[in-house]
Amino acid sequence: ILDDVRVYDRALGASEISDLYDAGAPSVAGFFEAFQPWVAASDAAWETMDLAPLGVPANAVVEVALVNTDTGKEQWAGVRAVGSVLERRFLLHEAEGGGADAVTLHVQADADGRIQHYTSNKGTTSFVLLGYWTTSSYVELYQTFGANSSNTWVIEDVSDEGLGPNQVAEIVLQNTNGGAERLAGVRVPGLGLQRRFLLHEAEAGGVEAVSMMVNTNNNSEVEAFAQDVADIDFHVVGYWSTPPGTYTEQGGVHGQAVDQNTWETADLTALGVPADSIAQFVLSSEMTGFERELGVRGIGSSDHRAIQLQEAEEGGSDNSSMHVNVDASAQIQWYSQDGTSDRYFYPVGWWVLST
């Protein structure tokens, strides 16, 4: 299936996109990696953004990183579908000490390849196209729930948040405590994996957040973990009405780069990720004194597909997520800037594509 996935190191023009699809785009779901940044034109307004010049076809489901590089102030950033009225945005905390605070969301493009974006400061907040999915459909939401108990895994009914049974949902975990790191996690009930992250403090305002896909069970339930229910919120930001395939959750395992400042080939077999899949990774930095780039990309890509994660202020970890194509040998490439310790690559799940 992934033989038909093509990775581009530049934006395609509209005519090239048309030629690509005329020449035979994949008829099954696929993930096309990218790394294309853009900025908003205005502050404090939802704007329509045409992603076709960046290579995004009509009706694709787009993966976007929302990035705040403001070293002194938290900033709002969000994405949503054209025509949506949801205030689907997050108050990203200041990028203390440099680097960036980032969270990844998915959004459905319209028939013209457009989405909408929002920023409170176009000078310090940007957006990065990480990739897009073909022949899939995604329904956006923006509903919040909290865990019922602290420091334990608890079953949560998410039907009130717009989710149904046996769906693959996207959930953002966020720490709102401005002075302490907090553990947070989410998983399908009964899985038993330690699928959680020690989110560092939310600096002087805003939130520290990370997004993951999660399966609901037959009763529209998930399991959630909050070290302190007063500090951890869970945001349901959408679900796949037509998923690209079957999503299998993973947790409690990670890899680490051996070499610094190089795109290193990594075999994911020992991490449980199968060949010819599309893996979702959480990139996690525990460096408390400085920012560092971490990234993943498919074999054969030339994109520098990395996010400069800010320092993990006062402990915990700074995190961001993205999907990556896994080849027939269960390999990808990952990147760690200026060192290898305290920088981790967590596969939190993978897709086996529909045929």
Side-chain angles (χ1 to χ4, degrees):
I1 296 171
L2 291 181
D3 288 344
D4 283 327
V5 174
R6 302 158 202 181
V7 180
Y8 300 99
D9 59 5
R10 64 182 178 88
L12 299 182
S15 62
E16 291 175 295
I17 295 170
S18 177
D19 291 343
L20 170 66
Y21 277 79
D22 289 344
S27 59
V28 297
F31 181 68
F32 290 65
E33 294 176 16
F35 196 85
Q36 296 279 356
W38 80 87
V39 295
S42 304
D43 293 340
W46 284 100
E47 298 176 329
T48 298
M49 174 65 185
D50 184 1
L51 296 180
L54 302 184
V56 175
N59 303 312
V61 179
V62 183
E63 183 175 65
V64 180
L66 318 177
V67 179
N68 179 27
T69 57
D70 195 322
T71 58
K73 192 177 189 305
E74 64 274 12
Q75 300 292 346
W76 287 99
V79 288
R80 69 184 186 186
V82 173
S84 172
V85 297
L86 295 177
E87 291 296 327
R88 196 170 179 261
R89 51 185 176 146
F90 289 88
L91 187 59
L92 304 180
H93 65 71
E94 66 185 62
E96 178 86 11
D101 186 43
V103 66
T104 299
L105 297 181
H106 284 72
V107 58
Q108 181 89 50
D110 69 6
D112 296 312
R114 304 176 306 165
I115 64 169
Q116 288 192 322
H117 60 223
Y118 181 99
T119 175
S120 55
N121 187 332
K122 60 184 175 61
T124 60
T125 305
S126 60
F127 307 87
V128 183
L129 171 67
L130 296 175
Y132 60 86
W133 303 82
T134 58
T135 68
S136 300
S137 299
Y138 178 90
V139 177
E140 66 181 43
L141 298 167
Y142 192 69
Q143 298 288 335
T144 305
F145 69 92
N148 291 325
S149 300
S150 295
N151 212 34
T152 186
W153 286 97
V154 292
I155 299 289
E156 298 290 341
D157 184 346
V158 286
S159 59
D160 288 344
E161 284 69 49
L163 298 178
N166 304 311
Q167 289 179 332
V168 183
E170 185 172 26
I171 295 181
V172 174
L173 294 60
Q174 65 176 34
N175 178 20
T176 62
N177 190 310
E181 66 273 19
R182 290 287 185 262
L183 271 171
V186 67
R187 66 190 185 189
V188 65
L191 183 63
L193 295 173
Q194 291 305 311
R195 200 171 186 253
R196 56 185 186 173
F197 293 91
L198 186 59
L199 306 178
H200 72 73
E201 66 179 34
E203 305 289 350
V207 301
E208 167 60 16
V210 67
S211 62
M212 289 190 288
M213 299 297 168
V214 61
N215 292 291
T216 63
N217 67 6
N218 292 336
N219 299 315
S220 304
E221 296 169 330
V222 300
E223 273 190 298
F225 184 99
Q227 183 177 353
D228 189 325
V229 296
D231 297 332
I232 299 297
D233 295 325
F234 300 87
H235 287 268
V236 178
V237 293
Y239 67 91
W240 298 83
S241 55
T242 305
T246 301
Y247 185 77
T248 299
E249 294 175 27
Q250 178 62 293
V253 297
H254 67 268
Q256 200 163 355
V258 175
D259 299 315
Q260 62 179 346
N261 297 323
T262 185
W263 282 97
E264 176 182 292
T265 297
D267 189 333
L268 303 183
T269 304
L271 300 180
V273 180
D276 292 327
S277 63
I278 299 171
Q280 185 180 35
F281 270 82
V282 169
L283 316 175
S284 183
S285 173
E286 295 181 5
M287 302 303 301
T288 58
F290 40 80
E291 71 280 5
R292 286 297 179 260
E293 281 188 328
L294 293 176
V296 289
R297 70 184 187 187
I299 299 294
S301 172
S302 59
D303 283 337
H304 189 66
R305 199 167 177 261
I307 301 291
Q308 190 175 45
L309 300 178
Q310 72 134 70
E311 65 183 26
E313 184 76 7
E314 300 299 330
S317 59
D318 191 50
N319 307 281
S320 187
S321 62
M322 65 176 74
H323 283 86
V324 61
N325 287 305
V326 182
D327 75 0
S329 299
Q331 293 181 336
I332 63 165
Q333 288 189 320
W334 56 36
Y335 177 90
S336 175
Q337 178 196 16
D338 294 343
T340 58
S341 62
D342 298 320
R343 303 157 175 85
Y344 303 100
F345 302 88
Y346 288 89
V348 294
W350 65 83
W351 297 90
V352 174
L353 299 178
S354 300
T355 57

